Amino acid sequence: MFNDIRSRLIISYIIVIFVALAISFGSLIAIRQPMQDQFTYRQLTDQMTQLVKEIQETKGNHRGHHYGYNARQLPATIVDFPQNNISRLLVIADESIIVFDSHDRWQGRTIDLPEGAFHMGMMPKRMIDPDKHHVMYVNATISMNNSTDLHLLLTTNPPMDQSGFIDYLINGFIVAGLIAFFISVLLGLLITRSIANPLQGISVGAKSVAMGNYQHQVPEVGPDEVKALAQSFNAMTKQVRASQIAMRDFVSNVSHDLKTPLTSIQGFSQAMLDGAVHDEAMQKKATSIIHEEANRMRRLVDNLLDLANLDAGQIAIEQHAVNLTQLLTITIDSLALQAQDKRINIIQEISALTTITGDGDRLSQVFTNLVDNAIKYTSHDGTIKIHGEITVRQNMNGHHSNRFAKITINDTGIGIPSDELPRIFERFYQVDKSRQGKNGTGLGLAIAQNIITSHDGYLEVKSELGIGSHFTVWLPVVS
Ligand code: ADP
Protein backbone atom coordinates (compact mmCIF):
# COMPACT_ATOMS: atom_id res chain seq x y z
CA MET A 1 0.00 0.00 0.00
CA PHE A 2 2.78 2.43 0.92
CA ASN A 3 5.32 0.99 -1.44
CA ASP A 4 5.59 3.91 -3.83
CA ILE A 5 8.08 6.67 -3.20
CA ARG A 6 5.29 9.29 -3.02
CA SER A 7 3.43 7.80 -0.04
CA ARG A 8 6.67 6.96 1.73
CA LEU A 9 7.91 10.52 1.39
CA ILE A 10 4.60 12.00 2.57
CA ILE A 11 4.44 9.62 5.53
CA SER A 12 8.00 10.40 6.52
CA TYR A 13 7.21 14.16 6.35
CA ILE A 14 4.13 13.70 8.52
CA ILE A 15 6.07 11.64 11.06
CA VAL A 16 8.88 14.21 11.21
CA ILE A 17 6.43 17.10 11.59
CA PHE A 18 4.40 15.41 14.30
CA VAL A 19 7.48 14.36 16.22
CA ALA A 20 8.71 17.97 16.04
CA LEU A 21 5.30 19.27 17.19
CA ALA A 22 5.19 16.79 20.08
CA ILE A 23 8.70 17.74 21.18
CA SER A 24 7.89 21.46 21.10
CA PHE A 25 4.59 20.85 22.92
CA GLY A 26 6.40 18.93 25.68
CA SER A 27 9.15 21.55 25.92
CA LEU A 28 6.62 24.38 26.14
CA ILE A 29 4.75 22.60 28.94
CA ALA A 30 8.00 21.91 30.73
CA ILE A 31 9.38 25.45 30.57
CA ARG A 32 6.09 27.36 30.90
CA GLN A 33 5.78 27.16 34.70
CA PRO A 34 9.32 28.19 35.62
CA MET A 35 9.23 30.97 33.02
CA GLN A 36 5.90 32.32 34.20
CA ASP A 37 7.00 32.09 37.85
CA GLN A 38 10.14 33.99 37.04
CA PHE A 39 8.20 36.67 35.25
CA THR A 40 5.57 37.04 38.02
CA TYR A 41 8.23 37.03 40.70
CA ARG A 42 10.11 39.83 38.98
CA GLN A 43 6.94 41.84 38.62
CA LEU A 44 6.07 41.40 42.30
CA THR A 45 9.62 42.19 43.45
CA ASP A 46 9.78 45.39 41.36
CA GLN A 47 6.46 46.50 42.69
CA MET A 48 7.40 45.72 46.27
CA THR A 49 10.75 47.55 46.02
CA GLN A 50 8.95 50.59 44.64
CA LEU A 51 6.33 50.40 47.42
CA VAL A 52 8.89 50.11 50.26
CA LYS A 53 10.82 53.04 48.81
CA GLU A 54 7.73 55.19 48.71
CA ILE A 55 6.72 54.22 52.27
CA GLN A 56 10.12 55.15 53.59
CA GLU A 57 10.05 58.49 51.80
CA THR A 58 6.67 59.38 53.21
CA LYS A 59 7.12 58.06 56.75
CA GLY A 60 4.91 59.80 59.26
CA ASN A 61 2.24 60.43 56.72
CA HIS A 62 -0.21 58.05 58.41
CA ARG A 63 -3.89 57.60 58.30
CA GLY A 64 -5.92 56.00 60.98
CA HIS A 65 -7.56 52.67 60.28
CA HIS A 66 -9.88 50.53 62.34
CA TYR A 67 -10.27 46.92 61.43
CA GLY A 68 -12.53 45.41 63.98
CA TYR A 69 -10.46 44.39 66.90
CA ASN A 70 -7.13 45.90 65.86
CA ALA A 71 -6.35 49.46 65.10
CA ARG A 72 -3.20 50.48 63.33
CA GLN A 73 -1.65 53.55 61.92
CA LEU A 74 -0.90 52.72 58.28
CA PRO A 75 1.21 54.77 55.90
CA ALA A 76 -0.85 56.56 53.24
CA THR A 77 1.13 54.83 50.46
CA ILE A 78 -0.31 51.49 51.64
CA VAL A 79 -3.79 52.71 52.08
CA ASP A 80 -3.75 54.24 48.61
CA PHE A 81 -2.37 51.08 46.97
CA PRO A 82 -4.47 50.75 43.82
CA GLN A 83 -6.78 47.82 43.17
CA ASN A 84 -5.34 46.22 40.08
CA ASN A 85 -5.43 42.99 38.16
CA ILE A 86 -1.83 42.05 38.70
CA SER A 87 -1.17 42.10 42.43
CA ARG A 88 -2.83 42.39 45.77
CA LEU A 89 -1.25 44.01 48.83
CA LEU A 90 -1.85 42.52 52.26
CA VAL A 91 -0.60 43.88 55.59
CA ILE A 92 -0.27 41.20 58.26
CA ALA A 93 -0.09 41.78 61.95
CA ASP A 94 0.56 39.29 64.70
CA GLU A 95 1.87 36.73 62.21
CA SER A 96 -1.51 35.84 60.69
CA ILE A 97 -4.11 38.64 60.94
CA ILE A 98 -4.83 40.62 57.81
CA VAL A 99 -5.08 44.26 58.82
CA PHE A 100 -5.15 45.64 55.29
CA ASP A 101 -6.24 44.21 51.91
CA SER A 102 -5.86 46.36 48.81
CA HIS A 103 -8.97 44.61 47.44
CA ASP A 104 -10.89 45.49 50.62
CA ARG A 105 -12.24 42.02 51.35
CA TRP A 106 -10.14 40.14 53.83
CA GLN A 107 -9.48 42.71 56.54
CA GLY A 108 -9.73 41.08 59.91
CA ARG A 109 -9.39 37.53 58.61
CA THR A 110 -6.57 35.26 59.50
CA ILE A 111 -4.30 33.77 56.92
CA ASP A 112 -2.52 30.47 57.13
CA LEU A 113 1.10 31.26 56.29
CA PRO A 114 3.85 28.69 55.90
CA GLU A 115 6.77 28.78 58.28
CA GLY A 116 9.37 31.39 57.43
CA ALA A 117 6.83 33.37 55.43
CA PHE A 118 8.36 36.68 56.52
CA HIS A 119 11.99 35.76 55.95
CA MET A 120 13.57 37.91 53.34
CA GLY A 121 14.61 35.95 50.27
CA MET A 122 14.97 36.20 46.55
CA MET A 123 13.04 33.06 45.72
CA PRO A 124 9.32 33.25 44.88
CA LYS A 125 7.15 31.94 47.73
CA ARG A 126 3.78 30.29 47.52
CA MET A 127 0.78 30.08 49.79
CA ILE A 128 -2.94 29.41 49.84
CA ASP A 129 -4.99 32.61 50.25
CA PRO A 130 -8.19 32.89 52.38
CA ASP A 131 -10.24 32.02 49.27
CA LYS A 132 -8.23 28.76 49.01
CA HIS A 133 -6.42 29.83 45.81
CA HIS A 134 -2.77 29.15 45.11
CA VAL A 135 -0.88 32.42 44.91
CA MET A 136 2.72 33.53 44.71
CA TYR A 137 3.98 36.33 46.92
CA VAL A 138 6.95 38.44 47.95
CA ASN A 139 7.26 39.96 51.38
CA ALA A 140 8.83 42.93 53.11
CA THR A 141 8.88 44.10 56.72
CA ILE A 142 8.80 47.78 57.67
CA SER A 143 9.52 49.11 61.14
CA MET A 144 6.97 51.72 62.18
CA ASN A 145 7.62 54.71 64.41
CA ASN A 146 6.01 53.04 67.35
CA SER A 147 8.61 50.27 66.89
CA THR A 148 6.06 47.74 65.64
CA ASP A 149 6.80 45.78 62.51
CA LEU A 150 4.45 45.83 59.55
CA HIS A 151 4.61 42.71 57.40
CA LEU A 152 3.67 43.40 53.80
CA LEU A 153 2.72 40.64 51.39
CA LEU A 154 2.30 41.30 47.72
CA THR A 155 0.46 38.37 46.13
CA THR A 156 -0.47 37.48 42.60
CA ASN A 157 -3.90 38.48 41.51
CA PRO A 158 -5.68 36.70 39.89
CA PRO A 159 -4.41 33.40 41.35
CA MET A 160 -2.35 31.04 39.20
CA ASP A 161 -4.17 28.65 36.89
CA GLN A 162 -2.68 26.11 34.47
CA SER A 163 -5.58 24.40 32.84
CA GLY A 164 -6.59 27.29 30.57
CA PHE A 165 -3.10 27.64 29.22
CA ILE A 166 -2.79 23.91 28.40
CA ASP A 167 -6.17 23.89 26.62
CA TYR A 168 -5.06 26.91 24.66
CA LEU A 169 -1.78 25.21 23.79
CA ILE A 170 -3.50 21.98 22.70
CA ASN A 171 -5.86 23.88 20.42
CA GLY A 172 -2.93 25.75 18.90
CA PHE A 173 -1.06 22.54 18.29
CA ILE A 174 -4.07 20.83 16.69
CA VAL A 175 -4.35 23.71 14.22
CA ALA A 176 -0.59 23.67 13.60
CA GLY A 177 -0.72 19.89 13.10
CA LEU A 178 -3.51 20.16 10.54
CA ILE A 179 -1.71 22.91 8.60
CA ALA A 180 1.52 20.86 8.73
CA PHE A 181 -0.34 17.78 7.48
CA PHE A 182 -1.65 19.59 4.40
CA ILE A 183 1.69 21.23 3.73
CA SER A 184 3.49 17.87 3.96
CA VAL A 185 1.04 16.23 1.55
CA LEU A 186 1.50 19.13 -0.86
CA LEU A 187 5.29 19.17 -0.52
CA GLY A 188 5.43 15.39 -0.82
CA LEU A 189 3.43 15.51 -4.04
CA LEU A 190 5.57 18.30 -5.48
CA ILE A 191 8.91 16.75 -4.58
CA THR A 192 8.01 13.23 -5.59
CA ARG A 193 6.77 14.50 -8.91
CA SER A 194 10.28 15.71 -9.66
CA ILE A 195 11.74 12.32 -8.63
CA ALA A 196 9.07 9.80 -9.55
CA ASN A 197 8.32 11.11 -13.04
CA PRO A 198 11.91 10.97 -14.36
CA LEU A 199 12.35 7.56 -12.71
CA GLN A 200 9.23 6.34 -14.43
CA GLY A 201 10.68 7.63 -17.71
CA ILE A 202 13.88 5.64 -17.13
CA SER A 203 11.84 2.54 -16.33
CA VAL A 204 9.92 2.91 -19.59
CA GLY A 205 13.24 3.46 -21.39
CA ALA A 206 14.73 0.30 -19.88
CA LYS A 207 11.74 -1.74 -21.06
CA SER A 208 12.03 -0.25 -24.51
CA VAL A 209 15.76 -1.09 -24.69
CA ALA A 210 15.00 -4.60 -23.47
CA MET A 211 12.71 -4.94 -26.49
CA GLY A 212 15.56 -3.98 -28.79
CA ASN A 213 14.98 -0.25 -29.25
CA TYR A 214 18.55 0.90 -28.63
CA GLN A 215 17.85 4.40 -29.86
CA HIS A 216 15.67 5.19 -26.87
CA GLN A 217 17.04 8.16 -24.90
CA VAL A 218 15.44 9.39 -21.68
CA PRO A 219 15.18 13.08 -20.68
CA GLU A 220 17.98 14.07 -18.28
CA VAL A 221 15.89 15.93 -15.72
CA GLY A 222 15.17 15.87 -11.96
CA PRO A 223 17.41 16.06 -8.90
CA ASP A 224 21.16 15.46 -9.39
CA GLU A 225 21.07 11.76 -8.55
CA VAL A 226 18.12 11.05 -10.87
CA LYS A 227 19.73 13.16 -13.59
CA ALA A 228 22.98 11.21 -13.18
CA LEU A 229 21.00 7.97 -13.48
CA ALA A 230 19.33 9.21 -16.69
CA GLN A 231 22.74 10.26 -18.08
CA SER A 232 24.23 6.85 -17.27
CA PHE A 233 21.20 5.17 -18.86
CA ASN A 234 21.63 7.20 -22.05
CA ALA A 235 25.37 6.53 -22.10
CA MET A 236 24.66 2.83 -21.63
CA THR A 237 22.17 2.63 -24.51
CA LYS A 238 24.61 4.52 -26.74
CA GLN A 239 27.34 2.06 -25.78
CA VAL A 240 25.06 -0.93 -26.38
CA ARG A 241 24.12 0.51 -29.75
CA ALA A 242 27.77 1.14 -30.63
CA SER A 243 28.76 -2.40 -29.72
CA GLN A 244 25.80 -3.75 -31.71
CA ILE A 245 27.02 -1.85 -34.75
CA ALA A 246 30.61 -2.95 -34.10
CA MET A 247 29.46 -6.56 -33.82
CA ARG A 248 27.50 -6.29 -37.08
CA ASP A 249 30.49 -4.70 -38.85
CA PHE A 250 32.77 -7.31 -37.39
CA VAL A 251 30.68 -10.20 -38.66
CA SER A 252 30.38 -8.63 -42.08
CA ASN A 253 34.15 -7.93 -42.21
CA VAL A 254 35.00 -11.49 -41.19
CA SER A 255 32.59 -12.95 -43.74
CA HIS A 256 33.94 -10.68 -46.43
CA ASP A 257 37.59 -11.41 -45.63
CA LEU A 258 36.92 -15.15 -45.62
CA LYS A 259 34.81 -15.08 -48.73
CA THR A 260 37.52 -13.62 -50.98
CA PRO A 261 40.13 -16.37 -50.46
CA LEU A 262 37.41 -19.05 -50.36
CA THR A 263 36.09 -17.94 -53.76
CA SER A 264 39.59 -18.07 -55.13
CA ILE A 265 40.28 -21.53 -53.66
CA GLN A 266 36.94 -22.81 -54.89
CA GLY A 267 37.51 -21.45 -58.40
CA PHE A 268 41.00 -22.89 -58.84
CA SER A 269 40.21 -26.26 -57.29
CA GLN A 270 37.08 -26.54 -59.47
CA ALA A 271 39.18 -25.77 -62.55
CA MET A 272 41.64 -28.49 -61.55
CA LEU A 273 38.81 -30.99 -60.94
CA ASP A 274 37.25 -30.16 -64.29
CA GLY A 275 40.59 -30.88 -65.95
CA ALA A 276 40.81 -27.32 -67.21
CA VAL A 277 44.38 -26.95 -65.94
CA HIS A 278 46.48 -28.86 -68.41
CA ASP A 279 50.11 -28.01 -68.34
CA GLU A 280 52.38 -28.34 -65.36
CA ALA A 281 53.16 -24.62 -65.07
CA MET A 282 49.45 -23.78 -64.85
CA GLN A 283 48.91 -26.51 -62.31
CA LYS A 284 51.78 -25.20 -60.21
CA LYS A 285 50.36 -21.69 -60.34
CA ALA A 286 46.89 -22.89 -59.33
CA THR A 287 48.17 -24.92 -56.37
CA SER A 288 50.39 -22.07 -55.20
CA ILE A 289 47.41 -19.67 -55.32
CA ILE A 290 45.30 -22.16 -53.35
CA HIS A 291 48.17 -22.49 -50.87
CA GLU A 292 48.57 -18.71 -50.54
CA GLU A 293 44.84 -18.13 -50.04
CA ALA A 294 44.69 -20.92 -47.45
CA ASN A 295 47.60 -19.22 -45.67
CA ARG A 296 45.76 -15.93 -45.73
CA MET A 297 42.69 -17.56 -44.24
CA ARG A 298 44.86 -19.21 -41.64
CA ARG A 299 46.41 -15.84 -40.68
CA LEU A 300 42.99 -14.26 -40.41
CA VAL A 301 41.57 -17.04 -38.28
CA ASP A 302 44.69 -17.02 -36.05
CA ASN A 303 44.41 -13.28 -35.55
CA LEU A 304 40.69 -13.53 -34.82
CA LEU A 305 41.23 -16.25 -32.27
CA ASP A 306 44.03 -14.25 -30.71
CA LEU A 307 41.84 -11.17 -30.39
CA ALA A 308 38.87 -13.12 -29.07
CA ASN A 309 41.07 -14.76 -26.43
CA LEU A 310 42.65 -11.46 -25.42
CA ASP A 311 39.18 -9.91 -25.16
CA ALA A 312 37.86 -12.74 -23.06
CA GLY A 313 40.90 -12.51 -20.79
CA GLN A 314 41.72 -16.10 -21.64
CA ILE A 315 45.27 -15.24 -22.55
CA ALA A 316 47.06 -14.48 -19.34
CA ILE A 317 49.63 -11.74 -19.73
CA GLU A 318 52.66 -13.22 -18.04
CA GLN A 319 54.64 -11.16 -15.60
CA HIS A 320 58.35 -11.68 -15.79
CA ALA A 321 61.44 -9.61 -16.32
CA VAL A 322 61.78 -8.48 -19.93
CA ASN A 323 64.98 -6.88 -21.15
CA LEU A 324 63.61 -4.41 -23.69
CA THR A 325 66.94 -3.71 -25.46
CA GLN A 326 67.45 -7.42 -26.00
CA LEU A 327 63.84 -8.01 -27.07
CA LEU A 328 63.92 -5.17 -29.62
CA THR A 329 67.30 -6.27 -31.02
CA ILE A 330 65.97 -9.79 -31.66
CA THR A 331 62.72 -8.43 -33.19
CA ILE A 332 64.58 -6.07 -35.53
CA ASP A 333 67.07 -8.81 -36.52
CA SER A 334 64.22 -11.14 -37.46
CA LEU A 335 62.90 -8.51 -39.88
CA ALA A 336 66.31 -7.46 -41.23
CA LEU A 337 65.97 -9.51 -44.41
CA GLN A 338 62.65 -7.90 -45.27
CA ALA A 339 64.20 -4.46 -44.74
CA GLN A 340 67.24 -5.36 -46.78
CA ASP A 341 65.02 -6.43 -49.68
CA LYS A 342 63.69 -2.87 -49.81
CA ARG A 343 67.10 -1.36 -48.98
CA ILE A 344 65.52 0.22 -45.90
CA ASN A 345 67.96 1.54 -43.35
CA ILE A 346 67.03 0.66 -39.76
CA ILE A 347 68.59 2.92 -37.12
CA GLN A 348 68.51 1.56 -33.57
CA GLU A 349 68.87 3.80 -30.49
CA ILE A 350 67.73 1.39 -27.85
CA SER A 351 70.65 0.93 -25.49
CA ALA A 352 69.15 3.23 -22.79
CA LEU A 353 66.19 0.93 -22.18
CA THR A 354 65.89 -1.10 -18.99
CA THR A 355 64.21 -4.27 -17.87
CA ILE A 356 60.48 -4.12 -17.30
CA THR A 357 57.92 -6.60 -16.02
CA GLY A 358 55.64 -8.14 -18.65
CA ASP A 359 55.03 -10.81 -21.22
CA GLY A 360 58.04 -11.06 -23.53
CA ASP A 361 56.31 -13.09 -26.25
CA ARG A 362 53.34 -10.74 -26.44
CA LEU A 363 55.55 -7.62 -26.45
CA SER A 364 57.68 -9.15 -29.18
CA GLN A 365 54.42 -9.69 -31.17
CA VAL A 366 53.61 -5.97 -30.80
CA PHE A 367 57.04 -4.73 -31.90
CA THR A 368 57.15 -7.22 -34.78
CA ASN A 369 53.80 -5.87 -35.97
CA LEU A 370 54.88 -2.23 -35.69
CA VAL A 371 58.29 -2.70 -37.35
CA ASP A 372 56.74 -4.99 -39.99
CA ASN A 373 54.13 -2.29 -40.77
CA ALA A 374 56.88 0.34 -40.93
CA ILE A 375 58.77 -1.80 -43.46
CA LYS A 376 55.57 -2.61 -45.39
CA TYR A 377 54.48 1.01 -45.72
CA THR A 378 57.90 2.54 -46.38
CA SER A 379 59.14 2.65 -49.94
CA HIS A 380 62.59 1.51 -51.12
CA ASP A 381 65.62 3.34 -49.65
CA GLY A 382 63.58 4.73 -46.78
CA THR A 383 64.63 4.93 -43.15
CA ILE A 384 63.13 3.46 -40.00
CA LYS A 385 64.37 4.78 -36.67
CA ILE A 386 63.70 2.87 -33.45
CA HIS A 387 64.43 4.92 -30.36
CA GLY A 388 64.08 3.94 -26.73
CA GLU A 389 64.39 5.92 -23.48
CA ILE A 390 63.19 5.92 -19.89
CA THR A 391 61.05 8.94 -19.10
CA VAL A 392 58.33 10.25 -16.81
CA ARG A 393 54.72 10.46 -17.91
CA GLN A 394 51.57 11.58 -16.15
CA ASN A 395 48.79 9.08 -15.76
CA MET A 396 45.48 9.53 -17.58
CA ASN A 397 43.91 11.37 -14.64
CA GLY A 398 46.95 13.65 -14.42
CA HIS A 399 47.45 12.94 -10.70
CA HIS A 400 50.50 10.70 -10.70
CA SER A 401 53.54 10.62 -12.85
CA ASN A 402 55.31 7.33 -13.30
CA ARG A 403 58.45 6.13 -15.00
CA PHE A 404 57.86 4.67 -18.42
CA ALA A 405 59.91 2.99 -21.13
CA LYS A 406 59.13 5.01 -24.25
CA ILE A 407 59.82 3.27 -27.56
CA THR A 408 59.20 5.16 -30.80
CA ILE A 409 59.13 3.65 -34.27
CA ASN A 410 59.57 6.32 -36.94
CA ASP A 411 59.34 5.62 -40.62
CA THR A 412 59.65 7.71 -43.76
CA GLY A 413 56.74 5.82 -45.34
CA ILE A 414 53.50 6.75 -47.02
CA GLY A 415 51.87 7.98 -43.79
CA ILE A 416 48.24 7.87 -42.75
CA PRO A 417 45.64 10.55 -43.59
CA SER A 418 44.82 12.54 -40.43
CA ASP A 419 41.07 11.86 -40.65
CA GLU A 420 41.73 8.09 -40.64
CA LEU A 421 44.30 8.20 -37.85
CA PRO A 422 41.86 7.75 -34.95
CA ARG A 423 40.42 4.63 -36.58
CA ILE A 424 43.52 2.59 -37.32
CA PHE A 425 43.32 0.72 -33.99
CA GLU A 426 39.82 -0.50 -34.85
CA ARG A 427 39.37 -4.10 -35.83
CA PHE A 428 39.64 -4.72 -39.60
CA TYR A 429 40.36 -1.07 -40.26
CA GLN A 430 42.66 -0.67 -43.20
CA VAL A 431 43.48 2.74 -44.56
CA ASP A 432 43.30 1.67 -48.14
CA LYS A 433 42.71 -1.99 -48.80
CA SER A 434 44.62 -1.87 -52.05
CA ARG A 435 47.81 -0.42 -50.61
CA GLN A 436 49.11 -3.37 -48.61
CA GLY A 437 48.39 -6.08 -51.11
CA LYS A 438 46.80 -9.22 -49.85
CA ASN A 439 48.77 -9.69 -46.68
CA GLY A 440 47.02 -7.33 -44.29
CA THR A 441 44.10 -8.29 -42.12
CA GLY A 442 43.55 -4.96 -40.37
CA LEU A 443 43.77 -6.76 -37.03
CA GLY A 444 47.46 -6.25 -36.18
CA LEU A 445 47.16 -2.84 -34.52
CA ALA A 446 43.96 -3.81 -32.67
CA ILE A 447 45.83 -6.78 -31.16
CA ALA A 448 48.90 -4.63 -30.41
CA GLN A 449 46.85 -2.07 -28.56
CA ASN A 450 45.06 -4.76 -26.59
CA ILE A 451 48.42 -6.22 -25.46
CA ILE A 452 49.92 -2.84 -24.53
CA THR A 453 46.80 -1.87 -22.54
CA SER A 454 47.03 -5.18 -20.68
CA HIS A 455 50.52 -4.07 -19.62
CA ASP A 456 49.04 -0.76 -18.29
CA GLY A 457 50.81 1.01 -21.12
CA TYR A 458 49.79 3.26 -24.01
CA LEU A 459 50.08 2.94 -27.78
CA GLU A 460 49.96 6.23 -29.69
CA VAL A 461 50.35 7.30 -33.28
CA LYS A 462 51.21 10.44 -35.18
CA SER A 463 51.46 10.51 -38.92
CA GLU A 464 51.68 12.79 -41.89
CA LEU A 465 50.62 11.69 -45.31
CA GLY A 466 53.63 11.31 -47.61
CA ILE A 467 56.12 12.10 -44.82
CA GLY A 468 55.93 9.12 -42.48
CA SER A 469 54.43 7.62 -39.37
CA HIS A 470 55.46 7.77 -35.76
CA PHE A 471 54.23 5.04 -33.39
CA THR A 472 54.99 5.33 -29.65
CA VAL A 473 54.75 2.53 -27.11
CA TRP A 474 54.75 3.47 -23.41
CA LEU A 475 55.38 0.66 -20.92
CA PRO A 476 55.46 1.30 -17.16
CA VAL A 477 58.75 0.67 -15.36
CA VAL A 478 58.01 -0.58 -11.88
CA SER A 479 60.94 0.41 -9.70
P1 ADP B 1 47.35 -4.62 -41.45
O1 ADP B 1 47.40 -6.06 -41.17
O2 ADP B 1 46.41 -4.23 -42.52
O3 ADP B 1 48.68 -3.98 -41.56
P2 ADP B 1 47.21 -3.20 -39.01
O4 ADP B 1 46.17 -3.23 -37.95
O5 ADP B 1 48.58 -3.56 -38.60
O6 ADP B 1 46.65 -4.06 -40.15
O7 ADP B 1 47.20 -1.72 -39.58
C1 ADP B 1 45.99 -1.06 -39.89
C2 ADP B 1 46.18 -0.05 -40.99
O8 ADP B 1 46.99 1.04 -40.52
C3 ADP B 1 46.92 -0.58 -42.15
O9 ADP B 1 45.97 -1.07 -43.08
C4 ADP B 1 47.67 0.58 -42.71
O10 ADP B 1 46.91 1.23 -43.71
C5 ADP B 1 47.83 1.52 -41.55
N1 ADP B 1 49.22 1.52 -41.05
C6 ADP B 1 49.72 0.81 -40.02
N2 ADP B 1 51.04 1.10 -39.83
C7 ADP B 1 51.38 2.01 -40.77
C8 ADP B 1 52.59 2.72 -41.11
N3 ADP B 1 53.72 2.51 -40.41
N4 ADP B 1 52.54 3.59 -42.12
C9 ADP B 1 51.42 3.78 -42.82
N5 ADP B 1 50.24 3.18 -42.55
C10 ADP B 1 50.22 2.30 -41.55
Side-chain angles (χ1 to χ4, degrees), residues 373 376-377 411 416 429-431 435-436 440-442 444-445 469:
N373 277 351
K376 245 186 338 190
Y377 302 112
D411 64 51
I416 302 161
Y429 196 80
Q430 292 178 310
V431 173
R435 71 181 185 165
Q436 67 270 314
T441 60
L445 285 180
S469 304

Side-chain angles (χ1 to χ4, degrees), residues 40 43-44 47 82-89 101-103 105-106 129 131 133-136 154-160:
T40 316
Q43 254 187 339
L44 291 178
Q47 228 178 343
Q83 277 198 24
N84 62 46
N85 287 333
I86 301 166
S87 55
R88 179 170 195 161
L89 180 65
D101 174 11
S102 60
H103 282 55
R105 279 185 43 225
W106 295 335
D129 70 14
D131 289 347
H133 287 135
H134 287 264
V135 291
M136 189 193 288
L154 199 58
T155 73
T156 45
N157 179 53
M160 296 180 286

Side-chain angles (χ1 to χ4, degrees), residues 189-368:
L189 287 176
L190 277 179
I191 292 177
T192 47
R193 212 166 52 178
S194 70
I195 299 174
N197 288 2
L199 281 179
Q200 230 151 19
I202 296 171
S203 159
V204 170
K207 278 186 198 132
S208 163
V209 170
M211 288 169 76
N213 178 11
Y214 299 107
Q215 255 128 332
H216 196 113
Q217 295 280 294
V218 295
E220 294 170 2
V221 290
D224 284 353
E225 292 82 353
V226 179
K227 211 189 278 178
L229 179 66
Q231 279 163 351
S232 310
F233 180 86
N234 287 341
M236 183 196 75
T237 46
K238 266 189 206 142
Q239 191 69 41
V240 172
R241 172 140 185 80
S243 42
Q244 279 253 321
I245 293 171
M247 179 85 84
R248 207 182 50 207
D249 290 353
F250 185 75
V251 172
S252 95
N253 279 328
V254 172
S255 333
H256 179 265
D257 279 27
L258 285 176
K259 212 172 128 190
T260 321
L262 270 176
T263 315
S264 185
I265 289 171
Q266 209 179 16
F268 279 100
S269 53
Q270 187 69 51
M272 285 168 82
L273 276 178
D274 292 349
V277 184
H278 302 298
D279 60 289
E280 207 174 315
M282 278 277 278
Q283 213 160 11
K284 210 167 171 189
K285 195 182 169 209
T287 38
S288 91
I289 287 173
I290 290 173
H291 182 71
E292 224 170 82
E293 293 294 4
N295 271 344
R296 185 162 134 78
M297 278 171 57
R298 171 79 205 222
R299 253 196 324 271
L300 183 68
V301 172
D302 280 351
N303 276 344
L304 278 175
L305 275 178
D306 219 14
L307 207 51
N309 288 336
L310 278 168
D311 272 353
Q314 277 173 0
I315 295 183
I317 297 290
E318 288 181 24
Q319 297 288 323
H320 44 71
V322 178
N323 182 325
L324 281 177
T325 309
Q326 209 174 352
L327 182 130
L328 277 165
T329 311
I330 296 171
T331 308
I332 295 162
D333 285 352
S334 71
L335 294 165
L337 265 182
Q338 248 169 276
Q340 258 172 35
D341 280 351
K342 293 176 83 176
R343 291 191 307 276
I344 289 172
N345 180 23
I346 298 187
I347 303 169
Q348 305 181 37
E349 295 170 353
I350 49 175
S351 54
L353 288 169
T354 49
T355 299
I356 63 148
T357 305
D359 190 327
D361 288 343
R362 287 285 161 189
L363 289 176
S364 161
Q365 186 183 349
V366 171
F367 292 118
T368 305

